[in-house]
Amino acid sequence: WYDSITKKMRHPTGMIEFSMKWIAWYSKLDYIGWWRFLDRCQRKIGCSFREQQTLELQQRCIQSYEEHVDIVKRTVPADRLLVFNVKQGWAPLCKFLGLPVPDRPFPKRDITKGLTRDVFKDLFEEKYQANFRPLLVLCLITLLWWTTWCCVCRRLCRLHARPG
């Protein structure tokens, strides 16, 4: 839990942040609300994943998280609580919800790993191409803007360079 979450909880900066905001806007996702939610969760368990991670902070985060899980297990009635790991697949989730198990595989893919490991392979796989559409639109808009700007600048430079 700790290793996975520390990689995902760092607030992006610069071009990465801009790209994420663009993708969120394009996909109608609440980017600011997401980060506020993550900040509230971090404060609740006494963690800050934006700070340099020390052994003491790591131990405090893990202990707080485990205490929170124990409180939830003690508070919520067992028949109303599903302790679930995505590695378990559809069966326990569907059983808990009283639904049939779907015919398709359980979506176990962590797109944050795909974005750092196999992003170029994913560009050509149909099932992942929807993840890249907002980025493609952003690139096309940027290219169009840049081309227009260059043409306008060249035209203005020619006008000002003419004698008379």
Coordinates of all heavy atoms in Angstrom, one line a residue, residues 85-90 105-111 113 128:
N85 N -9.6 -6.6 -2.5 CA -8.4 -6.3 -3.2 C -8.7 -6.6 -4.7 O -9.2 -7.7 -5.0 CB -7.2 -7.2 -2.7 CG -5.9 -6.8 -3.3 OD1 -5.8 -6.5 -4.5 ND2 -4.9 -6.9 -2.5
V86 N -8.3 -5.7 -5.6 CA -8.6 -5.8 -7.0 C -8.0 -7.1 -7.5 O -8.5 -7.7 -8.5 CB -8.2 -4.6 -7.8 CG1 -9.0 -3.4 -7.5 CG2 -6.7 -4.3 -7.7
K87 N -7.0 -7.6 -6.9 CA -6.4 -8.9 -7.4 C -7.3 -10.1 -7.2 O -7.1 -11.1 -7.8 CB -5.1 -9.2 -6.6 CG -4.0 -8.2 -6.8 CD -2.8 -8.4 -6.0 CE -1.7 -7.4 -6.3 NZ -0.5 -7.5 -5.4
Q88 N -8.4 -9.9 -6.4 CA -9.4 -11.0 -6.2 C -10.3 -11.1 -7.4 O -11.0 -12.1 -7.5 CB -10.2 -10.7 -4.9 CG -9.3 -10.7 -3.7 CD -10.1 -10.3 -2.5 OE1 -10.6 -9.2 -2.4 NE2 -10.3 -11.2 -1.5
G89 N -10.4 -10.1 -8.2 CA -11.3 -10.2 -9.4 C -12.7 -9.9 -9.1 O -13.1 -9.4 -8.1
W90 N -13.6 -10.3 -10.1 CA -15.0 -10.1 -10.0 C -15.8 -10.8 -8.9 O -16.7 -10.3 -8.3 CB -15.7 -10.5 -11.3 CG -15.4 -9.6 -12.5 CD1 -14.8 -10.0 -13.6 CD2 -15.8 -8.2 -12.7 NE1 -14.8 -8.9 -14.5 CE2 -15.4 -7.8 -13.9 CE3 -16.5 -7.3 -11.8 CZ2 -15.6 -6.6 -14.4 CZ3 -16.6 -6.0 -12.3 CH2 -16.2 -5.7 -13.6
P105 N -12.9 -9.9 -18.5 CA -11.9 -9.9 -17.4 C -12.0 -8.7 -16.5 O -12.4 -7.6 -17.0 CB -10.6 -9.9 -18.2 CG -10.9 -10.1 -19.6 CD -12.3 -9.9 -19.8
F106 N -11.6 -8.9 -15.3 CA -11.7 -7.8 -14.3 C -10.6 -6.7 -14.7 O -9.5 -7.1 -15.0 CB -11.4 -8.3 -12.9 CG -11.6 -7.3 -11.9 CD1 -12.9 -7.0 -11.4 CD2 -10.6 -6.5 -11.3 CE1 -13.1 -6.0 -10.4 CE2 -10.7 -5.6 -10.4 CZ -12.0 -5.3 -9.9
P107 N -10.9 -5.5 -14.7 CA -9.9 -4.4 -15.1 C -8.9 -4.2 -14.0 O -9.1 -3.4 -13.1 CB -10.8 -3.2 -15.4 CG -12.0 -3.4 -14.5 CD -12.2 -4.9 -14.5
K108 N -7.8 -4.9 -14.1 CA -6.8 -4.8 -13.1 C -5.6 -3.8 -13.5 O -4.7 -3.6 -12.7 CB -6.1 -6.2 -12.9 CG -7.1 -7.2 -12.3 CD -6.3 -8.5 -12.2 CE -7.3 -9.6 -11.7 NZ -6.6 -10.9 -11.6
R109 N -5.7 -3.3 -14.6 CA -4.6 -2.4 -15.1 C -4.5 -1.1 -14.3 O -5.4 -0.4 -14.2 CB -4.8 -2.1 -16.6 CG -3.6 -1.5 -17.2 CD -3.6 -1.6 -18.7 NE -2.3 -1.1 -19.2 CZ -2.0 0.1 -19.4 NH1 -2.9 1.1 -19.1 NH2 -0.9 0.5 -19.9
D110 N -3.3 -0.8 -13.9 CA -3.0 0.4 -13.2 C -2.4 1.4 -14.3 O -1.3 1.2 -14.7 CB -1.9 0.2 -12.1 CG -1.6 1.5 -11.4 OD1 -2.0 2.6 -11.8 OD2 -0.9 1.3 -10.4
I111 N -3.2 2.4 -14.7 CA -2.8 3.2 -15.8 C -1.6 4.1 -15.4 O -0.8 4.5 -16.3 CB -3.9 4.1 -16.4 CG1 -4.4 5.2 -15.4 CG2 -5.1 3.3 -16.9 CD1 -5.1 6.3 -16.0
K113 N 1.0 3.0 -14.0 CA 2.2 2.2 -14.5 C 2.3 2.2 -16.0 O 3.4 2.3 -16.5 CB 2.1 0.8 -14.0 CG 2.2 0.6 -12.5 CD 2.1 -0.8 -12.1 CE 2.2 -1.0 -10.6 NZ 1.8 -2.3 -10.1
Y128 N -6.8 0.8 -25.0 CA -6.2 1.9 -24.2 C -6.2 3.2 -24.9 O -5.9 4.3 -24.4 CB -4.8 1.6 -23.8 CG -4.6 0.4 -22.9 CD1 -3.7 -0.6 -23.3 CD2 -5.4 0.2 -21.8 CE1 -3.6 -1.8 -22.5 CE2 -5.3 -1.0 -21.0 CZ -4.4 -1.9 -21.4 OH -4.3 -3.1 -20.7

